[in-house]
Amino acid sequence: MATFNPEEFSVTYRQGATPTQPLLKRRYTLTYVSETDSLYLIIGSSFAKDVLNEQRNELFGEWIHYKDATALYLYIFIGDHHTDKSIQAIRYAIFNKEMPVLLTALRYGDHFFFKQVHNLDQAPIYVHYHSNYSEFHTIRYMQTPSVYETIKR
């Protein structure tokens, strides 16, 4: 998955979400299926935990409002005490490398929302990698959604 391919991508809206509403409680579940090299974005009022797979190749995201500021906060499971450290290192490296593609997919998939609430295109993005190893349990700043608007509709 070196680049984002809109033809290998789909968006589904679930209960509690439309292409333009809501802002708070708008949750994203972005999954990657390696067998088909496809990305699937589910937008709803809750995370789509029913689509979790063994590999845990998904990204969860939500809008957080704190002290008069709004940010897009993303969560990625790297591993826990059941996951070998070398596997976590590989997962961490892969997610870091592919993060621009994933963010491009999320920005592309929710383009109606960003058009409606255009100021959020300048909101900061934070990616929280979850791991039981401190070197992989990190939070990274990933600029703003507007940076990932590389494909115009």
Side-chain angles (χ1 to χ4, degrees):
M1 178 180 51
T3 60
F4 174 65
N5 180 358
E7 295 184 15
E8 298 294 331
F9 178 70
S10 70
V11 179
T12 303
Y13 295 96
R14 288 199 174 171
Q15 184 174 5
T18 71
T20 59
Q21 296 293 324
L23 164 57
L24 297 179
K25 302 232 181 200
R26 186 177 196 82
R27 299 216 165 84
Y28 302 99
T29 306
L30 183 64
T31 60
Y32 173 69
V33 178
S34 56
E35 293 83 20
T36 60
D37 199 33
S38 300
L39 285 167
Y40 300 92
L41 178 62
I42 299 169
I43 302 171
S45 60
S46 61
F47 297 121
K49 293 181 179 175
D50 58 302
V51 300
L52 297 179
N53 61 47
E54 276 181 19
Q55 287 90 22
R56 296 292 305 265
N57 291 333
E58 59 274 329
L59 172 150
F60 297 107
E62 63 185 329
W63 292 99
I64 303 289
H65 189 76
Y66 180 73
K67 291 188 179 182
D68 298 325
T70 303
L72 180 56
Y73 204 83
L74 307 173
Y75 312 90
I76 296 176
F77 176 78
I78 298 299
D80 58 18
H81 65 281
H82 297 296
T83 313
D84 185 69
K85 187 174 184 176
S86 62
I87 299 294
Q88 290 191 41
I90 292 167
R91 287 179 55 76
Y92 185 74
I94 290 170
F95 271 112
N96 271 314
K97 178 179 177 253
E98 300 294 346
M99 189 54 59
V101 175
L102 299 174
L103 292 172
T104 298
L106 193 147
R107 174 61 182 80
Y108 179 85
D110 210 13
H111 70 281
F112 292 118
F113 178 75
F114 285 102
K115 187 174 183 179
Q116 178 77 22
V117 192
H118 54 87
N119 63 316
L120 290 182
D121 238 353
Q122 301 307 314
I125 301 171
Y126 297 98
V127 180
H128 190 161
Y129 295 89
H130 290 268
S131 170
N132 61 313
Y133 293 103
S134 61
E135 60 263 44
F136 309 130
H137 191 90
T138 61
I139 298 174
R140 292 188 59 210
Y141 169 70
M142 295 298 296
Q143 300 178 305
T144 67
S146 64
V147 170
Y148 303 98
E149 186 187 15
T150 58
I151 299 172
K152 305 285 184 195
R153 281 189 173 228

